[in-house]
Amino acid sequence: MNQQDLIASVVQEVLRQISPSSAGGSGVSAGKVGGSGDGLFSSVDDAVEVATRSQRQLAAAGIKVREGIVQIIKTTAGKNADAWGKMELDETKLGRLDHKIAKLHLLQNVPGTEFLRTVAHSGDNGIGLDEAAPWGVIGVITPVTHSIPTLSANAINMIAAGNAMVVNAHPSGANCLAYAASVYNKLIKQQFNIDPLICVINPPTLKSAEEIFAHPRIPLLVATGGPAVARAAMKQTKRAIVAGPGNPPVVIDETANLDVAARSIIQGGGFDNNLLCIGEKEVFVVASVFDKLMDAMRRAGAVELASSAIDRLAKAAFKYEKDHYAVNKDFVGKDTHVLAAAAGVNIRPRVDLLFGETDESSPFVFEEQMMPFVPFVRVPDFDHALDLAIKHEHGFGHTAIIHSNNLANITRMGQAMNTTL
């Protein structure tokens, strides 16, 4: 049986095992220790027990087996991208189908064992080797915005490095994640005879997340999510790698290629309806090129909203609670026509991004809204643009973008923002 036939047979087997009620959020039927091997568990302790055992099997199997497992994940995600993208969109109701599918194909670019390099040192005091050792069992928290892609990318990295995983998914994307994990686990078992490396708590709860955070046999946490998830992970006494909130600013100075900037903002801010935390969220533009950039945005296919329409959209998309704004979740990840309707505007089909001029006080500027509308703020000069970019990135240290041909401005912004990307 070739790999494509093997994948098809495993997918059919897993489909038969999904409980009829799973679409309603009650979870895929959970596995037990020593059970079917799908890697789904109702108990964190059971999941950790199996993950510990499978990690030892992985460590003994060697690098070539890890390479083979990474290839299984990439190949399976690619072959099932259309079906899995639709499955995730149907469950989460967030984003765009074509971009859900694209993210699963993009897993081909996620690095695996090629990042494991042994470094040798030789000198007067002898010879030394630096080798990367696995953590063992990693506790993983995944977001609703990219359920299967986050699971898959994490699995590629973590298994390549010799680890097993215990995963607590966001409840609103838990079923599709559990399904993908069970397919991966069965294929790995059939090809390499290794027990489930991706152990998923099914269904996930707040209690199971807390148990993962505190579990003595989980030495490392990897959490992706909003501010509450990030804070919870970082409060633990163990090591944590956290991908928290982002509000990426864009700065455009008078030397920028405006057509390139416009196309980039549409591609980034419109991708999966701006669910990605690295997507462009607010743009600060030097006044001397502001109107020309707005023209470039229109030429590139974005639709401009007038100030009155932006005000109507803001009232629908944000709720003021006590002393702060909160995003209306009914608009998160929704298509541009949904936002346009709330703004009282009819737009043509297949618009990737809405945009318009606002001032700094707009909640679209200072909130990570995750919607396909991007505000543009007119500023007198680069210095003012940089100041506002620093202010509205909120010190998250996440992502910042500049369009410029002025190397001094690019260097200055990179050093001042000090973001990961």
Side-chain angles (χ1 to χ4, degrees):
M1 182 181 292
N2 61 35
Q3 189 174 45
Q4 186 170 0
D5 292 338
L6 180 61
I7 291 171
S9 67
V10 170
V11 168
Q12 291 302 315
E13 181 184 348
V14 173
L15 277 170
R16 287 195 298 270
Q17 293 179 5
I18 295 180
S19 64
S21 61
S22 65
S26 60
V28 180
S29 55
K32 303 292 185 181
V33 176
S36 63
D38 55 10
L40 309 183
F41 302 88
S42 57
S43 160
V44 171
D45 283 335
D46 288 350
V48 172
E49 181 66 30
V50 170
T52 301
R53 184 177 71 213
S54 59
Q55 192 275 329
R56 289 171 182 159
Q57 295 170 349
L58 181 68
I63 296 293
K64 287 296 182 182
V65 169
R66 298 187 207 173
E67 290 177 359
I69 292 172
V70 165
Q71 196 54 51
I72 283 175
I73 295 170
K74 291 182 177 183
T75 300
T76 306
K79 289 185 182 301
N80 292 283
D82 289 6
W84 288 8
K86 185 177 186 305
M87 183 189 302
E88 181 168 329
L89 182 60
D90 287 346
E91 182 177 0
T92 66
K93 306 295 190 295
L94 300 175
R96 284 175 47 169
L97 178 57
D98 54 341
H99 293 161
K100 297 290 185 197
I101 294 168
K103 284 188 286 186
L104 291 167
H105 285 299
L106 286 169
L107 291 168
Q108 295 295 327
N109 300 324
V110 175
T113 55
E114 61 269 28
F115 265 32
L116 301 177
R117 295 189 180 95
T118 298
V119 179
H121 308 273
S122 178
D124 294 341
N125 295 318
I127 297 174
L129 296 175
D130 295 343
E131 294 194 17
W135 285 88
V137 177
I138 300 176
V140 179
I141 308 295
T142 62
V144 65
T145 47
H146 325 286
S147 298
I148 300 177
T150 302
L151 169 81
S152 303
N154 282 354
I156 290 168
N157 291 161
M158 294 172 187
I159 294 172
N163 302 286
M165 310 157 62
V166 174
V167 183
N168 206 82
H170 190 289
S172 296
N175 288 327
C176 62
L177 180 147
Y179 173 77
S182 64
V183 172
Y184 292 147
N185 285 323
K186 288 181 178 295
L187 287 167
I188 293 166
K189 180 68 173 179
Q190 288 188 24
Q191 189 158 335
F192 296 110
N193 197 31
I194 293 176
D195 292 328
L197 289 162
I198 308 170
C199 298
V200 176
I201 307 305
N202 179 62
T205 64
L206 179 60
K207 182 176 183 291
S208 62
E210 292 170 347
E211 289 176 0
I212 289 173
F213 283 154
H215 203 286
R217 297 172 71 184
I218 296 178
L220 176 68
L221 301 174
V222 175
T224 307
V229 170
R231 285 193 297 269
M234 294 178 71
K235 285 180 180 177
Q236 307 305 313
T237 56
K238 60 188 67 179
R239 297 286 188 93
I241 300 171
V242 179
N247 194 43
V250 184
V251 168
I252 297 178
D253 72 10
E254 61 276 6
T255 72
N257 183 321
L258 300 182
D259 287 324
V260 170
R263 290 194 299 270
S264 298
I265 292 167
I266 294 169
Q267 184 179 31
F271 189 82
D272 210 20
N273 289 339
N274 213 354
L275 286 177
L276 274 71
C277 49
I278 62 170
E280 289 84 341
K281 296 295 189 287
E282 68 279 346
V283 186
F284 303 107
V285 189
V286 171
S288 61
V289 296
F290 186 92
D291 292 332
K292 293 179 180 178
L293 178 63
M294 302 297 267
D295 287 339
M297 289 291 294
R298 297 184 202 104
R299 288 196 304 272
V303 170
E304 183 176 12
L305 298 183
S307 60
S308 58
I310 296 172
D311 289 343
R312 287 192 291 271
L313 178 58
K315 288 178 181 177
F318 298 93
K319 301 174 182 177
Y320 194 77
E321 299 178 351
K322 296 182 180 179
D323 58 349
H324 69 281
Y325 282 94
V327 176
N328 183 346
K329 293 182 179 179
D330 291 340
F331 289 88
V332 171
K334 294 300 186 288
D335 291 337
T336 51
H337 73 268
V338 175
L339 274 63
V345 176
N346 291 318
I347 61 173
R348 65 183 185 275
R350 298 181 182 178
V351 172
D352 290 334
L353 191 70
L354 306 175
F355 75 103
E357 182 174 4
T358 73
D359 59 29
E360 182 194 354
S361 66
S362 170
F364 282 108
V365 172
F366 54 78
E367 291 291 336
E368 186 190 18
Q369 80 275 16
M370 293 188 291
M371 305 173 202
F373 170 82
V374 173
F376 285 63
V377 179
R378 190 188 304 252
V379 297
D381 52 39
F382 172 76
D383 288 345
H384 196 68
L386 179 56
D387 288 344
L388 291 183
I390 293 170
K391 176 180 178 181
H392 292 291
E393 202 276 328
H394 302 307
F396 291 148
H398 200 296
T399 299
I401 301 118
I402 181 170
H403 289 272
S404 172
N405 282 297
N406 183 321
L407 184 58
N409 284 353
I410 295 168
T411 302
R412 185 175 160 203
M413 181 167 171
Q415 292 174 343
M417 297 301 304
N418 195 29
T419 51
T420 300
L421 298 177

